[in-house]
Amino acid sequence: DGGITQSPKYLFRKEGQNVTLSCEQNLNHDAMYWYRQDPGQGLRLIYYSQIVNDFQKGDIAEGYSVSREKKESFPLTVTSAQKNPTAFYLCASSIGTDISPLHFGNGTRLTVT
Amino acid sequence: AQRVTQPEKLLSVFKGAPVELKCNYSYSGSPELFWYVQYSRQRLQLLLRHISRESIKGFTADLNKGETSFHLKKPFAQEEDSAMYYCALSGRSGSGSRLTFGEGTQLTVNP
């Protein structure tokens, strides 16, 4: 099944620890995105990347970091600076950033206690 | 700045009834609008986009620039339409285009 793979599906961490969420795509898409999904708030953009070795902050980048060393991979690190990290995280990719439809992964549910 | 508003968090209709999911947007340029859908236990996926002017699964959406709206409509709802629906806008920022989503509307079609 080609597409976008996010792992793990569920992740539990103690407060104060950094945690990295994996996102891999085999669609040969240039652009990749990280969204956070909270009930009643829709999807909010954390970071996005249009090309390898380049990325931009989205609307809620504080407390998060990303890297884009390979075209197929766009890992998201939730740092201890993120004040409310417990959420559902969605990774997506698209052929390009101009009006290209997004293809989403299945998501990772992160719980921080 | 670009913004998408979906005023109804929950919408419940009976099978066979018409359904309209509302979406309003705010954007200074020329927007590209989309509807995404998430069925239970499935990943979020594109339903339709306004530039295609197509009907998908009986759903249509017309961009009304005067009212800054992109409402999703279906004349006869089916139980399998029950899902979470997100309206989204693609607009240019300083670093290329980005997709902004609304808060989502959970549609329930009752038998």
Side-chain angles (χ1 to χ4, degrees):
Chain A
D1 181 28
I4 300 179
T5 302
Q6 289 186 244
S7 61
K9 189 173 181 179
Y10 299 97
L11 194 52
F12 298 88
R13 279 295 181 270
K14 294 287 187 186
E15 193 173 321
Q17 293 178 335
N18 291 355
V19 59
T20 298
L21 283 61
S22 170
C23 178
E24 304 277 332
Q25 55 102 355
N26 61 5
L27 300 168
N28 200 32
H29 284 173
D30 286 321
M32 297 187 74
Y33 309 78
W34 274 105
Y35 285 89
R36 173 179 169 143
Q37 189 178 29
D38 295 285
Q41 297 193 56
L43 279 72
R44 292 180 291 168
L45 182 63
I46 305 172
Y47 268 99
Y48 63 108
S49 168
Q50 300 178 67
I51 197 168
V52 174
N53 292 322
D54 188 39
F55 49 82
Q56 287 80 41
K57 292 182 179 180
D59 298 317
I60 56 166
E62 186 176 349
Y64 299 98
S65 66
V66 293
S67 64
R68 187 84 188 277
E69 297 177 3
K70 297 185 295 182
K71 186 176 186 177
E72 59 269 24
S73 179
F74 192 40
L76 173 74
T77 297
V78 185
T79 74
S80 56
Q82 168 52 231
K83 294 178 180 160
N84 188 19
T86 294
F88 190 64
Y89 291 88
L90 280 170
C91 180
S93 72
S94 66
I95 294 172
T97 56
D98 285 347
I99 69 171
S100 301
L102 298 189
H103 296 255
F104 283 89
N106 277 326
T108 293
R109 183 164 299 282
L110 173 65
T111 302
V112 178
T113 58
Chain B
Q2 55 194 66
R3 184 178 173 84
V4 177
T5 303
Q6 294 178 249
E8 302 144 326
K9 285 188 169 53
L10 301 172
L11 185 61
S12 182
V13 301
F14 286 102
K15 178 182 174 182
V19 62
E20 180 180 68
L21 289 82
K22 290 184 168 50
C23 172
N24 290 92
Y25 67 90
S26 172
Y27 182 61
S28 56
S30 183
E32 302 292 343
L33 276 298
F34 304 80
W35 276 98
Y36 281 79
V37 61
Q38 189 169 28
Y39 301 103
S40 179
R41 300 183 185 279
Q42 294 186 30
R43 63 183 67 193
L44 193 61
Q45 58 188 287
L46 177 68
L47 178 63
L48 57 79
R49 50 198 299 188
H50 92 270
I51 60 171
S52 300
R53 295 184 177 276
E54 57 192 347
S55 173
I56 304 293
K57 299 185 179 183
F59 284 98
T60 58
D62 292 319
L63 178 60
N64 185 324
K65 291 187 177 181
E67 296 183 358
T68 60
S69 69
F70 187 58
H71 303 327
L72 184 68
K73 301 176 183 179
K74 185 169 183 177
F76 307 103
Q78 303 300 314
E79 290 180 68
E80 55 265 30
D81 295 328
S82 296
M84 176 70 85
Y85 291 81
Y86 290 97
C87 182
L89 178 153
S90 178
R92 281 206 160 270
S93 67
S95 305
S97 296
R98 44 186 287 174
L99 204 60
T100 297
F101 286 83
E103 305 92 336
T105 298
Q106 178 69 50
L107 173 67
T108 302
V109 180
N110 299 299

